[in-house]
Amino acid sequence: MLVDRYQGRHSTQSQEAVSEFEKAVFAVAAHRPGIKPLKAALAADEDFVAALALKGLGVSLLCKAEDLAAGRAALDNAKRALIRANGGTEFERTLVEALGYAANGAFKKAASRLEARLADHPTEFLCLKLSNALRFMTGECQRMREVTGLALRDWREDDPGYGFAMGLHAFGLEENGAFAEAEQVGLKAVAAQPADVWGIHAVSHVMEMRHRPREGARWLQASRPLWPLCNNFGFHMAWHLALFHLDTAEYDAVLDLYDRDIRPTQTDDFRDMANAASMLWRLQQEGIDVGDRWQGLHTIAFKRREDTTYVFASLHYLLALIGAGDTDAARELVNNLRTRKISVPVDEQSAVADEVGIAAAEAILHLHTTGGCAEGLSEIARRLPSIGGSRAQRDVFMRTLVLNAAEAGEAHTFTALNRLRSALKAEDRFARLSAERLSNSSNKFALQKRASVGDAA
């Protein structure tokens, strides 16, 4: 048995394979492309179990139907390698079993399997990173913080991966509202590991939630040299920078970032689509003409309107379809979410669709077809975390619910929604803009009421 520097235990006899796998784990931690070292590890040992499992987990987390299918194919390869390794190590079996769950869309079960391993081996960094990623996608921020907090009790500052582990913990703290501690831990993470873009990202989240846009923009600008080294996470870092510029109404800067750094290429990765669609949606909410930028997103969203494997992704595809003016396709997508609930009733994402996804999609569609409505909006807002993603990402839906209530002239619902939003995010410029929208709607309804009374008289 060989042990890598991140405490993974391998049945291979190839030190070269282990060394290449260490590079792949670093790439995962630093959000950099990891396929090259994974291929090198498998070239050194074609039965390197952890590399086969990590490859499958990476593709499964992309969430599209064909990605889950590719994950299941990788699972078959990993299982055969385990057999040839006489059952492998417990670390390897953990990764393969987690892949078995993830490739079938059972992300919570996959995370639980990894966390069971961490309970006895808290310094196995890859299990910690993968568990954190899975809980992020299932919206379980409290569990993210709990797992990293418990694991870090056994870490030393000179352990490989310590800075990355601290960055994971910082993000969990931020998502649970412990902003001061999150910033402190995030700064410590980045000091320990300057390549930790997730830790940098965690600190930027604190600044976003605490409404510190100018400071946040400076913080992210300083990290720009790391972005080209990243995989598509670099696009997401640019998205965060654009959020800060949006909050200060620097719209030209937002659009420039969109074209150069957020959507420089028309990928169909749901994370890239979420960055792009949510930014254009925010801009349009503020009355900014985004030109023909919706069209590239529409092509991909239209193709994905039947793929409801991940509700978070589907809701962003919905934004792209509506933004491009394709109401018919938007209705199809909403109907496909309803169908998923019926056709796949015992499934994590079917449960999410039933709990909040369908209602959220209907509210978004309603606002852009027949006008604002207030029915059930507060309950949708309370349940939004289950779709996954971060507070900052879900805020595009919170903003839309707020505008729904404003357009309907429903002051009580508007106030309730803003109270929920302000519990997550300090008052920002949008809060003031939406209040103006409510005032305009209320005045409009009052004028209509006076006109009807006059007609009746």
Side-chain angles (χ1 to χ4, degrees), residues 136-174:
F136 173 79
M137 294 185 70
T138 56
E140 297 174 284
C141 66
Q142 185 172 350
R143 188 64 183 149
M144 291 169 69
R145 181 177 68 175
E146 289 171 352
V147 171
T148 53
L150 285 171
L152 279 166
R153 294 177 183 179
D154 290 270
W155 283 67
R156 300 188 307 270
E157 291 190 16
D158 59 348
D159 286 337
Y162 173 79
F164 290 128
M166 288 288 284
L168 296 178
H169 191 51
F171 186 79
L173 289 165
E174 180 277 325

Side-chain angles (χ1 to χ4, degrees), residues 71-311:
R72 290 190 289 274
L75 173 64
D76 291 339
N77 293 333
K79 283 181 173 178
R80 286 193 288 269
L82 261 185
I83 292 170
R84 289 190 286 271
N86 297 316
T89 67
E90 178 60 26
F91 171 74
E92 292 171 329
R93 290 193 294 275
T94 295
L95 293 180
V96 173
E97 289 172 24
L99 171 57
Y101 289 122
N104 287 288
F107 290 170
K108 291 182 181 180
K109 289 182 179 179
S112 293
R113 180 64 186 91
L114 294 163
E115 289 158 10
R117 175 69 180 169
L118 286 167
D120 295 321
H121 299 84
T123 58
E124 285 183 355
F125 174 75
L126 184 58
C127 290
L128 188 66
K129 177 64 175 178
L130 291 171
S131 159
N132 203 263
L134 288 159
R135 296 297 185 190
F136 173 79
M137 294 185 70
T138 56
E140 297 174 284
C141 66
Q142 185 172 350
R143 188 64 183 149
M144 291 169 69
R145 181 177 68 175
E146 289 171 352
V147 171
T148 53
L150 285 171
L152 279 166
R153 294 177 183 179
D154 290 270
W155 283 67
R156 300 188 307 270
E157 291 190 16
D158 59 348
D159 286 337
Y162 173 79
F164 290 128
M166 288 288 284
L168 296 178
H169 191 51
F171 186 79
L173 289 165
E174 180 277 325
E175 288 296 289
N176 282 278
F179 298 116
E181 186 180 1
E183 185 168 359
Q184 181 183 31
V185 172
L187 292 172
K188 186 174 181 180
V190 176
Q193 175 50 266
D196 184 20
V197 289
W198 188 258
I200 295 169
H201 163 257
V203 174
S204 78
H205 266 263
V206 173
M207 294 174 179
E208 168 69 18
M209 293 298 111
R210 294 296 85 196
H211 192 225
R212 293 154 56 189
R214 304 235 179 248
E215 185 182 358
R218 288 193 298 272
W219 169 254
L220 283 178
Q221 282 285 6
S223 76
R224 262 187 176 273
L226 292 173
W227 300 3
L229 303 175
C230 291
N231 50 27
N232 63 338
F233 195 69
F235 304 156
H236 187 64
M237 295 290 277
W239 178 82
H240 273 284
L241 179 56
L243 282 182
F244 290 127
H245 287 304
L246 183 69
D247 201 31
T248 52
E250 297 169 299
Y251 297 121
D252 288 342
V254 174
L255 289 169
D256 184 62
L257 277 165
Y258 182 93
D259 294 333
R260 292 175 181 271
D261 298 297
I262 296 174
R263 195 67 177 165
T265 182
Q266 294 292 333
T267 78
D268 73 346
D269 188 307
F270 82 87
R271 296 165 296 189
D272 303 340
M273 284 289 290
N275 293 331
S278 67
M279 187 55 65
L280 294 186
W281 191 264
R282 286 171 165 89
L283 285 165
Q284 286 200 167
Q285 286 178 332
E286 300 192 17
I288 303 304
D289 182 1
V290 300
D292 63 355
R293 291 177 177 85
W294 281 116
Q295 297 313 309
L297 303 186
H298 173 267
T299 300
I300 294 167
F302 185 83
K303 181 176 68 172
R304 293 292 169 193
R305 71 193 186 283
E306 296 180 357
D307 187 346
T308 56
T309 51
Y310 189 42
V311 171

Side-chain angles (χ1 to χ4, degrees), residues 9 23 25 67 176 292 314 324 450 452 454:
R9 292 160 172 80
K23 296 175 186 176
V25 174
D67 296 322
N176 282 278
D292 63 355
S314 292
R450 283 199 294 271
S452 16

